[in-house]
Amino acid sequence: MTQVRVEAHPLTLTRPIGDANDPVGQWHQRQLVIALDTDEGLVGYAVAVPGCLGVLPVFADVVIGKDPAGVRGLWEAMVGRAFKAGVNGMTRVAIAALDVALWDLKAQANSEPLWRTLGATASSVPVYASGIEMPLGDAELVEYYRRQSTHGISFGKIKVGRDREDDLRRLRLAAQALAESGKPVRLAVDANEYWSAKTAIPWVRALEQEHPLVWVEEPCPRRDVRALARVSAGVDAAVATGENLNLVDEFLPLLLGGAVDVVQVGIQTTGISGALRVAETAAGFGLPVATVNCPGHVIAHLAAVLPNHLALEVLDAGEDALLEVDHTLGDGHLKLGSRPGHGVRPRAGLPVTDVLPRTGAAVLPGRGPGAGLLPPGFTPRSKTTGRITDHTTGCITDHTRD
């Protein structure tokens, strides 16, 4: 390997995405494309956020000049280098990106798609539709899930947590839209850590009266073992969590404490190597895994090899507009292609912005006001006021949504 290249590209989504912490939503992102060049002419790619640039050189130094065939050993070396500071925040983003690019190179060197390098025997992965759709009105929500149903998708997830009556209505609308697939509808909900256990249990029970739920995702803060275990015991739905955790040692308290029923892993579980280790640990506890959406759905290659995999989260909001992908959606599955590597590449001729932003800003709205403090059944005021940050320009605009 001769060098690490980075480019940042502006991206405007086709619609805003947001959750209980950011209900107004955000339209603008920047994608950082990380490329690992080799003397043999192969290039491994990964997509991250510009905020990781400050720490990227620390971990790039570990992999430059090394053989990508040893990707799991290189992952161990990168994690080891982060030992003192911990694998958190932009450190995990940088490690994850380099790990993904290394796996891309390893599979290319093998002249095979990544799912086969990882050991999968089939390339079709079941999916569920996720809208990150709290900013959408009812008609937009219905149109979104109806469009997903045309791919044979009958499993969907909606964002919840701020208004119980709104959540009930939107759950009903999503179910009706997904029923157009002609298949039995399954639903999950995601509160993005917005509730306490005292709030979550009656809220989820009310939603379950409207429609059975496969899982409730992140009903309480990610590391609150007691609260998550209380919710798991107090509702019919499984508790899914883990997408914001890093290494196995952060999952173990939840696993040992009965606080997670569906273990979530993704690219940000410190890369494919880190996600694989967590997924194998979950299997040891007899628990299923659900994979989290990411640019180009690269994590689907890992999902294909996991015997305990439930479904891959797929999002359609224009987030892949800058990428070429080697997969298709159909019959409720994502079908991975046969291109060597993970099959995700930046489109040719993309506009490039400054790769060293002053703030390193990413789309990180933070935990919303009032999170964890709402009493059971609390209904907020009819208007939601928030701020949308344009991460291409750095401008912040105030918005009010009825």
Side-chain angles (χ1 to χ4, degrees), residues 23-389:
V24 175
Q26 307 201 26
W27 288 80
H28 302 288
Q29 299 179 359
R30 278 201 296 172
Q31 289 185 344
L32 186 72
V33 175
I34 298 172
L36 302 186
D37 297 323
T38 67
D39 293 331
E40 290 77 20
L42 301 178
V43 182
Y45 287 101
V47 179
V49 295
C52 75
L53 278 168
V55 295
L56 186 66
V58 176
F59 303 102
D61 182 60
V62 174
V63 304
I64 289 174
K66 302 299 193 301
D67 184 350
V71 55
R72 294 194 75 173
L74 292 171
W75 179 86
E76 292 282 1
M78 288 189 287
V79 169
R81 178 159 289 192
F83 171 70
K84 285 290 186 180
V87 180
N88 296 290
M90 290 300 152
T91 291
R92 79 166 181 166
V93 174
I95 293 174
L98 291 167
D99 181 76
V100 168
L102 287 166
W103 276 108
D104 190 20
L105 283 173
K106 182 180 176 75
Q108 288 183 61
N110 291 345
S111 299
E112 61 186 8
L114 179 54
W115 57 268
R116 191 171 294 282
T117 293
L118 287 166
T121 56
S123 61
S124 183
V125 178
V127 303
Y128 71 92
S130 174
I132 316 184
E133 76 305 312
M134 191 163 279
L136 301 186
D138 288 357
E140 295 169 306
L141 181 145
V142 169
E143 191 279 330
Y144 178 79
Y145 286 104
R146 182 174 290 152
R147 188 167 69 251
Q148 303 314 301
S149 75
T150 65
H151 299 298
I153 300 174
S154 60
F155 183 4
K157 183 178 77 179
I158 69 166
K159 297 295 186 180
V160 298
R162 296 183 66 92
D163 186 302
R164 189 181 297 183
E165 292 306 314
D166 278 354
D167 292 347
L168 286 166
R169 185 185 70 258
R170 293 168 67 250
L171 195 71
R172 189 179 310 121
L173 292 172
Q176 292 169 356
L178 288 166
E180 296 190 18
S181 67
K183 303 175 182 179
V185 172
R186 295 183 295 160
L187 292 175
V189 296
D190 186 357
N192 289 97
E193 308 183 51
Y194 198 73
W195 295 323
S196 66
K198 190 74 171 179
T199 301
I201 292 171
W203 202 305
V204 174
R205 284 176 176 167
L207 297 179
E208 289 178 323
Q209 292 299 309
E210 178 62 40
H211 197 286
L213 299 176
V214 179
W215 71 65
V216 52
E217 187 170 322
E218 293 187 324
C220 303
R222 69 198 73 166
R223 294 181 177 85
D224 193 336
V225 173
R226 185 175 65 171
L228 291 167
R230 285 180 63 191
V231 175
S232 179
V235 302
D236 291 334
V239 166
T241 191
E243 70 175 13
N244 289 305
L245 300 177
N246 303 310
L247 304 177
V248 168
D249 60 354
E250 293 190 6
F251 285 82
L252 282 176
L254 301 177
L255 294 166
L256 294 169
V260 56
D261 305 304
V262 176
V263 178
Q264 293 180 296
V265 299
I267 291 303
Q268 295 311 323
T269 316
T270 329
I272 290 172
S273 297
L276 176 58
R277 178 166 293 186
V278 171
E280 290 172 338
T281 303
F285 280 82
L287 294 177
V289 162
T291 42
V292 181
N293 83 85
C294 63
H297 299 121
V298 171
I299 196 65
H301 289 274
L302 175 63
V305 78
L306 299 178
N308 55 334
H309 182 252
L310 278 180
L312 163 74
E313 179 182 29
V314 293
L315 170 67
D316 178 11
E319 70 286 354
D320 287 346
L322 306 182
L323 304 174
E324 295 178 358
V325 298
D326 187 29
H327 64 247
T328 56
L329 277 174
D331 195 28
H333 286 68
L334 184 143
K335 171 69 174 179
L336 290 159
S338 58
R339 182 186 300 166
H342 58 49
V344 177
R345 298 288 181 268
R347 293 189 183 278
L350 294 178
V352 179
T353 61
D354 180 12
V355 297
L356 293 173
R358 284 180 292 174
T359 62
V363 182
L364 298 171
R367 201 175 187 209
L373 302 176
L374 304 185
F378 173 83
T379 299
R381 58 186 178 176
S382 61
K383 287 188 177 181
T384 301
T385 302
R387 300 196 303 172
I388 296 179
T389 302

